[in-house]
Amino acid sequence: MFIEFLSVAKRKDSFESVVMDHLRKNGAYWGLTTLDLLGKLDTVNADEAISWIMKCQHKSCYASAGPFQQAIDVLDIDKVATCILPYMLSTKLFPLHWEMWGEVDTRFSYIAVCYLSILHCLDKINVEKAVSYILSCKNLDGGFGCTPGGESHAQQIFCGVGALAITGSLHHVYKDPLGWCECEWQVKSGGLNGRHEKLPDICYSWWVLSSLIMIERVHWIDKEKLVKFILDCQDVENGGISDRPDDVVDVFRTYC
């Protein structure tokens, strides 16, 4: 069922495929990663997937390295790594902005650190400044916001903690306060939300659990209740997982 659900991206003439075209590359990553976790990656034509991903490249930079390791071999790694440099703002720290609009967010810092690490090119940036900027977004509750002073949120915590883990800087994290901050986001249904008063969502299971694992505090939540919540979000007839029980499934939540 899951395999059939995840193949929807190949149905180019379907309504779902057309309206989600702007997320097709994201969906390719979520879907292919899910298939890999299920041990079913061999159901996809790797050459076809890599060829399509390479068509997403920009004239001055590549949009995505794709989920297949062998795709790295067809990349100009130095060009891919260098394309992040124009997005670094000229400040004493290391905020990254998004395209011509200049939006600053710790998500972009995580993305840069993550893919540069995959390409073994972290030396392209000043890692110390990157860490300093991320730490400037840390709050008193131990969490992280989009920018300095921003509200703590599960997604931003994942990005902050993830970037610090990649750079070997987790010793800067207040692990106990952060662990309690995230554990308090588990609601009665067993699901997790991303900040207080929000509804639970499967995606926060990924953000929160990943962070708790990195800071070694995952045993602080009720894992059995969380597993039940996730399984209740399955579409047992057609495959896939939704944000909450009885909602419409999507590739992103299925990946999470």
Side-chain angles (χ1 to χ4, degrees):
M1 291 183 294
F2 277 96
I3 308 306
E4 171 63 19
F5 167 71
L6 291 169
S7 68
V8 69
K10 299 186 70 173
R11 304 174 203 154
K12 302 293 195 308
D13 58 345
S14 71
F15 173 77
E16 293 84 355
S17 180
V18 172
V19 298
M20 297 300 288
D21 186 66
H22 64 293
L23 288 174
R24 191 176 299 279
K25 182 159 54 63
N26 304 55
Y29 172 77
W30 299 327
L32 289 167
T33 304
T34 303
L35 288 173
D36 194 25
L37 292 171
L38 294 172
K40 297 293 184 179
L41 194 56
D42 58 353
T43 62
V44 176
N45 185 315
D47 291 336
E48 180 182 345
I50 292 169
S51 174
W52 177 81
I53 290 168
M54 294 306 297
K55 291 178 182 178
C56 298
Q57 65 184 348
H58 188 271
K59 62 182 180 181
S60 62
C61 182
Y62 291 99
S64 172
F68 295 98
Q69 183 60 39
Q70 60 263 40
I72 298 294
D73 298 333
V74 300
L75 291 175
D76 182 334
I77 292 179
D78 186 67
K79 189 175 184 180
V80 176
T82 303
C83 79
I84 193 63
L85 301 181
Y87 296 112
M88 291 186 290
L89 299 182
S90 299
T91 71
K92 62 181 180 180
L93 297 175
F94 185 80
L96 284 152
H97 64 92
W98 181 247
E99 298 182 353
M100 71 285 290
W101 293 282
E103 179 187 357
V104 176
D105 195 312
T106 44
R107 289 175 299 171
F108 309 142
S109 297
Y110 168 74
I111 291 168
V113 168
C114 184
Y115 89 70
L116 288 175
S117 176
I118 292 171
L119 297 176
H120 304 289
C121 291
L122 269 176
D123 59 331
K124 293 284 186 181
I125 61 172
N126 187 318
V127 173
E128 184 178 350
K129 286 187 176 181
V131 170
S132 295
Y133 177 71
I134 292 167
L135 291 176
S136 74
C137 301
K138 184 169 62 175
N139 295 316
L140 292 176
D141 60 7
F144 293 81
C146 296
T147 54
E151 178 187 11
S152 293
H153 184 276
Q155 187 181 62
Q156 310 306 142
I157 290 173
F158 166 81
C159 291
V161 173
L164 293 175
I166 291 170
T167 56
S169 305
L170 275 180
H171 57 281
H172 292 295
V173 175
Y174 303 145
K175 294 183 179 180
D176 283 352
L178 176 55
W180 282 120
C181 172
E182 296 203 283
C183 289
E184 288 178 350
W185 288 335
Q186 187 168 33
V187 300
K188 292 181 178 180
S189 65
L192 292 155
N193 59 28
R195 59 174 180 254
H196 296 298
E197 305 303 324
K198 290 196 70 175
L199 292 173
D201 191 315
I202 284 292
C203 68
Y204 296 126
S205 301
W206 165 256
W207 305 126
V208 175
L209 274 182
S210 298
S211 302
L212 289 175
I213 288 172
M214 285 186 278
I215 64 172
E216 301 177 321
R217 298 295 186 276
V218 72
H219 57 286
W220 285 7
I221 65 168
D222 189 327
K223 287 185 281 188
E224 290 186 4
K225 289 185 67 175
L226 178 58
V227 168
K228 183 180 184 303
F229 174 79
I230 294 172
L231 294 178
D232 286 345
C233 294
Q234 287 188 104
D235 184 334
V236 296
E237 294 182 0
N238 301 307
I241 296 176
S242 60
D243 56 351
R244 286 176 286 279
D246 301 320
D247 282 354
V248 178
V249 301
D250 62 74
V251 175
F252 173 55
R253 265 70 179 207
T254 302
Y255 158 76
C256 291

